[in-house]
Amino acid sequence: EVVLLLVRPGSCEEADCTKRVLTAGRLGIPVISLDLLIAMKRVAGRTQDAADVESLERLRRLTGGSR
């Protein structure tokens, strides 16, 4: 399942500057930073987003920072 969030707390430039491009075969997939994803989910404010924020913050603690 892919969920697209159209709400963003920062500018497009912020997302572009913090993104990484992951490769799957010959496909490049832009992925925003973990910090920006958490911020976007907080702004969206849905019940599932709140649960996602908890999981993402746990992931951040386990991995030692933003990614």
Side-chain angles (χ1 to χ4, degrees):
E1 177 178 344
V2 175
V3 176
L4 300 176
L5 288 175
L6 301 177
V7 178
R8 65 184 196 291
S11 66
C12 289
E13 292 82 17
E14 179 183 4
D16 200 43
C17 289
T18 62
K19 78 175 183 216
R20 293 180 12 188
V21 178
L22 305 179
T23 304
R26 296 182 356 205
L27 181 64
I29 304 166
V31 179
I32 62 172
S33 71
L34 184 56
D35 289 339
L36 186 55
L37 177 59
I38 290 170
M40 290 172 70
K41 287 195 163 280
R42 282 193 176 122
V43 168
R46 298 172 295 206
T47 302
Q48 183 59 54
D49 292 311
D52 291 344
V53 166
E54 288 183 29
S55 296
L56 291 167
E57 287 179 336
R58 194 172 327 118
L59 175 65
R60 181 171 41 195
R61 286 191 301 276
L62 290 172
T63 61
S66 69
R67 294 195 184 266

